[in-house]
Amino acid sequence: NLYANSIVALDAATGRLRWHRQLVHHDIWDYDLPAPPALVTIRRGGREIPAVVALTKSGLMFMFDRRNGEPLFPIEERPVPPSRVPGEQAYPTQPYPVKPAPLSRHTAITAADLTDVTPESRAFCARLFAQFGQSGGAYTPPDTVLSVWFPGTLGGATWSGASIDPASGYAFVNVNEIGAIGMIRRRRAGAAAPEWERWAPGGGYARFWDDKDLPCTQPPWGKLHA
């Protein structure tokens, strides 16, 4: 997993590695970098820094000096929950930039957060929520019980990435606010390898939404950040 979920800088003339930064360790959530990074010049302390801005589906924005990979804001390795799946070992920490703050919700969903957009949607989502053995925030590992975690596989930041206006210095990023649901279960006897599979009602990479694909959490279901 050395270069997975990473920004990798190569020398264009030789192809040699210049630097790399892994932004998600041992990705068991589908928290990949969904869009190409943005190249921008950042002005700090009276000097110009050629920078690269990268986003993740967990809604984090990382900024590096693209000459050497040094972060422009400190990055902390913060503890995250361990996996309880037999044979799995989740990475014990994940990188968080000190600035900016996460662009997406990173906290667990509770029954009080369920949608009230329509009575039908709320009833469906309440029945689904009652099936969960675990509700967690970002980097909560899939478990052997049906779980929901937030943000989900649709983000956070999405495939549109960031647009940066050099005149104003603003970065514009749209994010989704949709949870993911799933569990890790043993395959049926006689099934092809591997022994375990990711499963959820609606598919292995199901989202926390109702039977009409309306998110089960209260709006807003997406945000545009500047």
Side-chain angles (χ1 to χ4, degrees):
N1 288 325
L2 181 61
Y3 299 122
N5 302 79
S6 298
I7 296 292
V8 181
L10 304 179
D11 188 304
T14 65
R16 292 179 179 174
L17 176 70
R18 294 286 294 271
W19 57 267
H20 82 281
R21 288 278 182 172
Q22 188 171 70
L23 306 187
V24 182
H25 303 319
H26 186 45
D27 182 14
I28 53 178
W29 307 271
D30 193 37
Y31 275 166
D32 53 271
L33 285 60
L39 305 182
V40 63
T41 299
I42 291 179
R43 293 168 182 84
R44 175 183 284 179
R47 61 191 181 98
E48 294 187 343
I49 302 172
V52 57
V53 178
L55 296 153
T56 70
K57 284 186 185 175
S58 55
L60 299 180
M61 175 186 280
F62 294 88
M63 287 173 258
F64 303 99
D65 185 323
R66 64 177 183 260
R67 297 168 296 187
N68 53 26
E70 289 301 310
L72 298 186
F73 295 103
I75 296 175
E76 298 176 344
E77 289 286 340
R78 299 179 184 175
V80 293
S83 174
R84 297 186 291 193
V85 175
E88 176 62 272
Q89 184 174 346
Y91 205 84
T93 63
Q94 291 293 337
Y96 275 80
V98 172
K99 293 181 179 181
L103 306 182
S104 302
R105 172 183 179 147
H106 269 219
T107 55
I109 297 166
T110 69
D113 299 318
L114 295 181
T115 181
D116 54 7
V117 170
T118 70
E120 295 80 10
S121 183
R122 183 173 181 84
F124 181 99
C125 294
R127 290 193 299 270
L128 181 57
F129 189 78
Q131 299 179 45
F132 298 141
Q134 174 181 245
S135 176
Y139 300 111
T140 298
D143 206 329
T144 52
V145 297
L146 188 62
S147 305
V148 57
W149 60 95
F150 211 97
T153 56
L154 287 181
T158 67
W159 298 270
S160 53
S163 296
I164 300 175
D165 176 17
S168 66
Y170 275 99
F172 299 92
V173 183
N174 67 292
V175 298
N176 289 329
E177 295 280 23
I178 302 173
I181 66 175
M183 64 181 294
I184 306 298
R185 69 176 186 180
R186 290 186 185 274
R187 291 182 183 270
R188 297 184 305 275
E195 180 182 2
W196 297 81
E197 66 178 352
R198 180 166 167 165
W199 176 88
Y205 286 80
R207 283 97 198 194
F208 187 37
W209 55 28
D210 68 13
D211 53 343
K212 295 181 175 60
D213 296 348
L214 297 178
C216 280
T217 47
Q218 295 181 15
W221 297 329
K223 297 176 182 176
L224 178 63
H225 291 278

